[in-house]
Amino acid sequence: MGLKNLSVMGGFDLYIKNNLHKALHNNEISDTQFNNAQKIISDYKTSAIPDRKKKLFELRKVLTGVKENTTLKPSKAVKTSIDIKIKSAQKMSLESDIQYAKGVGPQLSLKMKVLGINTIRDLLYYFPRRYEDRSNLTAIANTMDGAFETVKGRVHDKRELRLRKGLTATKVTIDDGTGFAVLTWFNQPYKSKSIPMGTFIYASGKVEKKFGETQIQNPEIELANEEENLHTARIVPVYPSTENLSQRTLRKIIKSAVENYSHLVSENLPEEIVLKYDFMPVQKTLQEIHYPSSAGEKVKAEARLIYEEFFLMQLAILSLRKNRTLQSRSHSYIIDKKLIEEFEANLPFKFTSAQKRVIYEILMELAGSYPMSRLVQGDVGSGKTIVAAAIIYVTVKSGYQGAIMAPTEILAEQHYKKFRQYLEPYGINVGLFTGSLTKKEREALKESLKTGEINVAVGTHALIQEGIEFKNLAFCVVDEQHKFGVMQRTELQKKGNNADLLVMTATPIPRTLSLILYGDLSISVIDELPPNRQEIKSFFRPLKKIDTVYSFIKEEIKKGRQAYIVCSLIDESDKIEAKAALAHAEELKSGIFSDIKVSVLHGKMKAQEKEEIMENFRKHGSDILISTTVIEVGVDVPNATVMVILNAERFGLAQLHQLRGRVGRGSEQSYCFFSGEIKSQESRNRLETMVSSSDGFVIAEKDLELRGPGDFCGTRQHGIPELKLADLIRDRKILEIARKDAENIIASNTDFVKKLKYNGEISNSESSGMIH
Ligand code: ADP
Ligand code: MG
């Protein structure tokens, strides 16, 4: 290309230099060839064009001398490999395979792929885990014992010591005029080779003052005359890595990637946002996050990247919602206040004003022309079921089918009973679909669902299985959404033709998290409990004193109340747990509760058996239900007023709150006893939170704080995209801001949204998460 030195990024000389190192490393050229070639190319950039030409001929001469001394033509192998490199460098894009990145190659690329770095983009966005500030040089005389210091000195002495068989020490002494420092490595004799006597080097590491000496073991070192210092004398990045891949290698590769490829990254924030927050440009951001020029610049770069993560994610989530407005509903509801009033008139109670408000919020949206996706949030016991039932009533009255899916058979069964009770008087047919149906029952139900004979389907996952077809499903409800994945909430919806979706959750989600989990849904909140509810009184009792709790239960039973005792190991699927529940039940039955009707429920039982036991308890056929956590969600027996949770310290706060929510469902005063052993400050904090608060939102915030979002009802499996730098708790304010900005952009700046590509993943079946 006319020797303009433009055809390779970074310049031809740099390109050759890098490859010379590789060639030397791979034994493709000798030391002499390496040195000669280095010399020839060193001032290529500053040479005039005719001189460049000369240099190329010389270079070729030196290099092709490898195997063929007779010809000036490069060997075929060298030639093709150079061609490939040139080509790939020219066509390099952010999606290019990492092996073509400068300084990587096939072997190293394998190690990097283990770290999840597959493309140039991955490399640029592989952020440091932390930084070490080695920017301040310390005079050797002033170094402190135990401190992490960076010193600079001249190599004064080098020694190899054989300490014992198989253990050698390399000792290099440097001198900076104020004192000597002894650098030591074990079994790394090559260390001293790279630092000739008399040269200046930087060394960083932990200082030990021993035997009157200043020592640094296994320091990071670097020649002080290297053009720019990478590993010492600056704020140095520390990357997450494996043993196979050293920090030095990673730093080199990433540094070179930032220099050579960051220009490929285009600005992915709208200009107005960049201006508004005075964000630094993308390239500089990448530079500063990897190799901060100062602590302040690093913070600025970080802030921008955190914002960017949230902003782009929110944009993706919001565009899911926007996409929905591009579809239209094929069915239409009878929207009439009278229907709701008629339904309410036949209930044993009046709607709370919060329930009423939410019902009308839903109806308003159903009157519109886009399919609905709405979340109803309401603390345990706030009365979500009846809200769903009212809307399903309207649905059937309008001539369509409705469906409600619950996470457990016990809950599906309970909904089935309630829905029959509420809806059958109007001639509405309700069917129950669970995994424990016989084949024959299933086929019959399927048939009547398809013909429309069944108006309302209640069920577990069995509802979304293949082969289940509705005649005209218009409205579906997913109860206790937090027990389902994000994917599953749309599966049910797909059984209809643009069916409307209502998801309900009793687990209050901190707002930050709900912006992500439910960011694409509209939200209604039932923020009021039905009247005459008394706050549940909560206590902690050490296991030793559990007998006092059991005596208390006896008193309550005398008054005609019922009680739950949750007796559990952590995992519901655990066989041991069922055994523990059984064993404990036997103990209690034959002991303190010998004169009381006790029944036992656990996850290993057949569905039919569980149903019978639940039904018996509901009808007050027994006074105490000893159970595993299978009763965690949804179970509703208003006459039960005492909840005892054994080994409470083993549960998460959200789960404890759910369990406690099984009582306090009627007008009688209810009680909850958390029992266990407090083994750590953390479990003390958690139980104190439970005892002192009954507000689900307070508890959820605390839970998020104590456990982190990773654990919070399995966020990962809920399809929350991975956040690299952002932290849901620490950066919640930024999330809120980014959300607002994203909303404004979606509403106003469609050009930008069209151009944007989102690289995280949002696992929602409605869209791949890409904005096109
Ligand atoms: P959750 O929101 O936890 O799912 P449920 O829908 O199971 O709560 O309702 C809890 C209990 O409150 C049920 O027994 C239900 O019949 C009752 N309930 C619901 N709404 C009202 C109301 N407006 N007035 C009185 N009781 C109500
Ligand atoms: Mg419920």
Side-chain angles (χ1 to χ4, degrees):
M1 294 182 75
L3 296 164
K4 292 198 191 87
N5 202 16
L6 291 173
S7 55
V8 191
M9 276 179 286
F12 187 70
D13 45 340
L14 198 64
Y15 169 73
I16 290 292
K17 271 189 212 158
N18 287 341
N19 281 288
L20 284 177
H21 280 284
K22 237 185 266 174
L24 181 64
H25 182 77
N26 296 338
N27 264 332
E28 289 167 327
I29 53 172
S30 66
D31 282 5
T32 328
Q33 283 177 312
F34 175 80
N35 290 335
N36 288 342
Q38 280 268 12
K39 226 178 268 163
I40 293 166
I41 204 71
S42 63
D43 54 355
Y44 181 86
K45 199 180 270 173
T46 52
S47 303
I49 288 188
D51 289 332
R52 287 186 183 168
K53 195 164 189 172
K54 234 190 271 165
K55 280 180 180 293
L56 286 186
F57 276 104
E58 280 172 11
L59 187 65
R60 188 157 75 181
K61 220 181 205 165
V62 168
L63 290 179
T64 51
V66 185
K67 275 163 195 152
E68 303 160 89
N69 292 318
T70 48
T71 166
L72 282 181
K73 275 190 184 163
S75 75
K76 214 175 162 203
V78 171
K79 191 166 181 298
T80 44
S81 102
I82 289 179
D83 280 353
I84 289 171
K85 293 268 163 60
I86 290 178
K87 261 194 207 129
S88 57
Q90 279 168 340
K91 281 205 225 112
M92 203 63 108
S93 82
L94 287 174
E95 312 317 323
S96 298
D97 193 286
I98 189 75
Q99 68 166 307
Y100 301 118
K102 206 161 270 183
V104 180
Q107 270 184 328
L108 202 50
S109 79
L110 290 180
K111 291 181 186 173
M112 311 210 46
K113 283 176 184 171
V114 171
L115 295 174
I117 308 174
N118 294 303
T119 64
I120 301 285
R121 183 196 298 276
D122 294 342
L123 193 54
L124 291 173
Y125 283 85
Y126 194 74
F127 298 134
R129 179 160 44 94
R130 61 189 176 86
Y131 301 84
E132 277 170 13
D133 190 349
R134 303 179 187 169
S135 55
N136 293 321
L137 286 183
T138 310
I140 291 175
N142 295 339
T143 54
M144 297 207 303
D145 189 30
F148 194 99
E149 312 262 30
T150 299
V151 297
K152 180 182 174 185
R154 184 206 289 265
V155 178
H156 179 86
D157 183 36
K158 300 203 288 184
R159 256 178 297 171
E160 293 292 329
L161 304 174
R162 221 178 108 98
L163 301 181
R164 57 181 150 80
K165 207 170 173 230
L167 184 65
T168 60
T170 302
K171 286 192 181 265
V172 171
T173 307
I174 58 170
D175 162 17
D176 74 348
T178 71
F180 295 94
V182 182
L183 317 177
T184 311
W185 295 270
F186 297 101
N187 286 348
Q188 297 175 354
Y190 51 87
K191 279 285 181 194
S192 67
K193 289 215 178 91
S194 59
I195 37 177
M197 291 287 286
T199 50
F200 279 92
I201 65 167
Y202 289 107
S204 292
K206 195 174 156 199
V207 170
E208 283 174 89
K209 302 273 182 179
K210 256 193 203 161
F211 317 117
E213 263 183 10
T214 302
Q215 300 190 349
I216 307 181
Q217 279 187 11
N218 290 316
E220 286 245 26
I221 54 164
E222 197 170 11
L223 288 176
N225 56 9
E226 272 183 31
E227 224 170 89
E228 198 181 354
N229 291 98
L230 258 183
H231 311 292
T232 56
R234 53 155 38 256
I235 298 178
V236 178
V238 180
Y239 293 98
S241 186
T242 58
E243 265 180 29
N244 289 332
L245 194 53
S246 74
Q247 287 294 330
R248 285 180 91 86
T249 310
L250 261 175
R251 275 180 212 140
K252 258 201 196 125
I253 294 169
I254 293 178
K255 173 90 183 188
S256 129
V258 171
E259 272 163 12
N260 295 298
Y261 310 121
S262 60
H263 69 276
L264 297 172
V265 180
S266 52
E267 179 56 73
N268 46 14
L269 293 176
E271 206 184 333
E272 52 194 282
I273 296 284
V274 175
L275 289 176
K276 183 172 170 191
Y277 300 110
D278 196 18
F279 282 142
M280 53 173 75
V282 186
Q283 282 80 18
K284 182 163 160 61
T285 307
L286 289 172
Q287 212 170 307
E288 292 290 346
I289 199 77
H290 289 292
Y291 288 91
S293 57
S294 73
E297 292 300 289
K298 188 206 94 183
V299 170
K300 273 196 212 158
E302 233 165 32
R304 187 203 141 112
L305 289 165
I306 289 169
Y307 177 92
E308 198 176 305
E309 277 188 348
F310 283 143
F311 178 79
L312 296 182
M313 180 178 67
Q314 285 301 319
L315 220 46
I317 289 171
L318 288 168
S319 73
L320 287 181
R321 184 196 277 193
K322 177 128 185 177
N323 283 346
R324 220 173 287 127
T325 65
L326 303 177
Q327 301 165 344
S328 60
R329 186 188 290 120
S330 48
H331 47 273
S332 66
Y333 299 88
I334 302 171
I335 306 292
D336 187 344
K337 217 173 151 203
K338 278 203 199 98
L339 272 183
I340 298 297
E341 284 165 358
E342 172 185 300
F343 182 75
E344 187 181 14
N346 291 317
L347 291 178
F349 49 77
K350 291 250 150 300
F351 287 130
T352 62
S353 53
Q355 282 170 323
K356 232 184 248 167
R357 192 192 69 239
V358 170
I359 287 172
Y360 286 111
E361 276 170 11
I362 295 168
L363 288 180
M364 289 283 280
E365 193 168 356
L366 295 184
S369 46
Y370 311 123
M372 178 183 87
S373 284
R374 180 175 289 269
L375 169 74
V376 169
Q377 242 181 23
D379 211 344
V380 275
S382 59
K384 294 180 290 293
T385 318
I386 199 69
V387 168
I391 306 292
I392 285 184
Y393 172 70
V394 171
T395 305
V396 178
K397 280 283 174 185
S398 308
Y400 306 102
Q401 288 173 303
I404 177 163
M405 182 164 77
T408 64
E409 296 212 348
I410 291 177
L411 194 49
E413 174 77 21
Q414 178 179 291
H415 282 338
Y416 174 62
K417 294 217 165 76
K418 285 238 160 119
F419 275 49
R420 282 181 62 185
Q421 180 194 327
Y422 296 140
L423 300 172
E424 268 181 358
Y426 301 100
I428 294 173
N429 290 324
V430 185
L432 177 66
F433 292 77
T434 61
S436 52
L437 291 176
T438 64
K439 201 162 176 232
K440 215 169 140 200
E441 290 169 325
R442 200 174 120 87
E443 287 308 311
L445 269 172
K446 261 170 66 178
E447 190 53 30
S448 34
L449 191 64
K450 205 168 152 187
T451 59
E453 195 186 320
I454 289 182
N455 309 104
V456 179
V458 179
T460 55
H461 293 87
L463 268 184
I464 53 176
Q465 263 152 27
E466 235 169 274
I468 301 267
E469 283 173 59
F470 288 80
K471 182 179 172 217
N472 58 2
L473 175 66
F475 187 83
C476 49
V477 181
V478 177
D479 192 19
E480 304 296 354
Q481 154 69 35
H482 68 286
K483 291 272 164 186
F484 292 104
V486 169
M487 294 288 269
Q488 286 168 316
R489 78 178 172 219
T490 52
E491 290 296 304
L492 184 56
Q493 199 172 17
K494 284 199 202 130
K495 295 279 180 188
N497 178 17
N498 281 340
D500 296 291
L501 173 70
L502 189 70
V503 302
M504 308 200 293
T505 185
T507 296
I509 307 280
R511 185 174 153 74
T512 43
L513 212 49
S514 77
L515 283 182
I516 292 175
L517 280 180
Y518 305 120
D520 61 319
L521 307 177
S522 36
I523 297 182
S524 288
V525 183
I526 305 184
D527 49 6
E528 182 187 352
L529 292 178
N532 303 325
R533 290 279 171 81
Q534 301 189 30
E535 192 161 316
I536 303 166
K537 292 192 172 156
S538 300
F539 307 91
F540 173 77
R541 287 281 180 278
L543 272 180
K544 292 187 293 231
K545 295 196 177 162
I546 195 71
D547 280 354
T548 60
V549 175
Y550 291 154
S551 316
F552 181 81
I553 288 182
K554 281 184 149 177
E555 295 299 311
E556 281 290 297
I557 286 171
K558 267 187 212 145
K559 290 188 216 156
R561 308 277 98 80
Q562 289 164 279
Y564 297 101
I565 300 176
V566 172
C567 167
S568 259
L569 298 182
I570 311 146
D571 186 2
E572 215 263 287
S573 61
D574 202 337
K575 270 192 196 131
I576 306 168
E577 180 187 63
K579 253 196 201 153
L582 281 176
H584 195 64
E586 283 314 315
E587 216 176 280
L588 294 178
K589 264 196 215 170
S590 55
I592 188 160
F593 295 136
S594 56
D595 51 343
I596 287 169
K597 277 175 274 171
V598 176
S599 49
V600 183
L601 184 71
H602 62 77
K604 291 278 157 238
M605 288 173 167
K606 287 225 173 66
Q608 171 100 31
E609 201 178 347
K610 280 192 268 189
E611 239 166 65
E612 279 163 13
I613 291 168
M614 239 6 262
E615 185 52 20
N616 182 46
F617 186 67
R618 204 170 278 132
K619 285 191 185 138
H620 207 158
S622 68
D623 300 306
I624 299 179
L625 183 66
I626 300 183
S627 164
T628 57
T629 47
V630 288
I631 58 155
E632 178 185 342
V633 289
V635 169
D636 183 44
V637 182
N639 191 49
T641 56
V642 188
M643 166 63 71
V644 182
I645 303 166
L646 301 175
N647 299 320
E649 77 281 359
R650 292 177 180 171
F651 297 98
L653 292 189
Q655 208 180 0
L656 289 175
H657 184 63
Q658 284 285 337
L659 283 168
R660 175 167 59 187
R662 296 312 112 218
V663 296
R665 306 193 137 239
S667 54
E668 299 301 327
Q669 176 64 53
S670 291
Y671 306 87
C672 181
F673 296 92
F674 300 101
S675 185
E677 287 170 70
I678 292 182
K679 292 192 189 102
S680 66
Q681 187 55 37
E682 203 234 326
S683 55
R684 179 182 307 274
N685 284 345
R686 291 183 331 135
L687 291 176
E688 268 168 13
T689 305
M690 288 311 299
V691 171
S692 62
S693 177
S694 57
D695 183 332
F697 282 91
V698 173
I699 291 170
E701 292 280 349
K702 195 84 191 170
D703 204 23
L704 184 61
E705 218 171 274
L706 290 173
R707 292 197 300 163
D711 277 353
F712 197 89
C713 55
T715 44
R716 192 64 222 162
Q717 100 202 20
H718 278 79
I720 289 194
E722 182 197 9
L723 295 167
K724 284 189 174 152
L725 286 178
D727 179 310
L728 276 178
I729 300 158
R730 185 194 60 200
D731 306 321
R732 65 227 282 176
K733 286 220 177 77
I734 303 182
L735 171 58
E736 297 266 0
I737 294 168
R739 164 80 174 198
K740 276 220 185 72
D741 290 339
E743 275 169 1
N744 290 336
I745 293 282
I746 286 262
S748 64
N749 193 340
T750 41
D751 274 358
F752 176 78
V753 176
K754 266 188 226 141
K755 273 193 303 203
L756 188 88
K757 257 191 160 180
Y758 181 65
N759 292 297
E761 54 163 309
I762 304 262
S763 45
N764 188 314
S765 43
E766 284 175 26
S767 148
S768 61
M770 298 289 254
I771 298 170
H772 297 284

